Amino acid sequence: MTSMTITIERMPRTLQFEGTAIEVEELSVRLPFARKPADLSEVGGEGNYKVFVTETREMTPAEFDAFASQLLKSRDWLSGKGGYLADGRLCVEVRATGRPILYVDPSGGDYGRYVARLG
């Protein structure tokens, strides 16, 4: 099996969101986001949004699989995060070895309200 490596640049930015300056990393690619996907099979989405990473959450493959199989489940670590800004989404990046990278915008909620994936 042939493998491929894709490099996506991350540009540091300071954005104003709801009257507060926040530090983010903007991805060099735009991604489509699914609205309220139940699980990873429903992540595909529409549109092309800028992705502003506000933080990265590292998981084990088992933790990732549990998260990705129940994206609508309430999670404390997502509570109050995310939001829509200009033509982009403020996202928590979710990573695990051997799994796709997810970008989750809970838009102030505590679940995967908008989710995009790489891989």
Side-chain angles (χ1 to χ4, degrees):
M1 172 183 241
T2 304
S3 65
M4 180 187 324
T5 301
I6 298 172
T7 302
I8 297 174
E9 292 181 33
R10 299 166 75 102
M11 311 279 280
R13 301 264 188 253
T14 301
L15 303 176
Q16 291 292 321
F17 184 69
E18 297 180 348
T20 303
I22 57 171
E23 300 298 319
V24 302
E25 290 183 318
E26 180 181 344
L27 299 187
S28 62
V29 296
R30 291 173 173 253
L31 297 175
F33 279 77
R35 183 177 182 273
K36 296 185 179 181
D39 58 36
L40 199 55
S41 72
E42 294 183 1
V43 175
E46 299 177 5
N48 259 341
Y49 297 92
K50 288 182 181 179
V51 178
F52 301 113
V53 178
T54 58
E55 67 183 83
T56 299
R57 181 152 182 116
E58 297 284 344
M59 295 182 167
T60 66
E63 290 170 332
F64 181 95
D65 293 345
F67 172 68
S69 68
Q70 296 180 344
L71 293 170
L72 298 176
K73 182 179 176 184
S74 177
R75 293 186 169 75
D76 291 342
W77 56 271
L78 286 174
S79 183
K81 296 178 181 172
Y84 184 77
L85 181 65
D87 57 348
R89 297 200 169 278
L90 300 172
C91 298
V92 176
E93 181 179 63
V94 180
R95 295 175 160 264
T97 301
R99 302 296 189 268
I101 301 170
L102 298 183
Y103 296 93
V104 181
D105 169 11
S107 281
D110 62 358
Y111 65 95
R113 184 171 289 167
Y114 297 96
V115 182
R117 69 181 275 172
L118 276 176

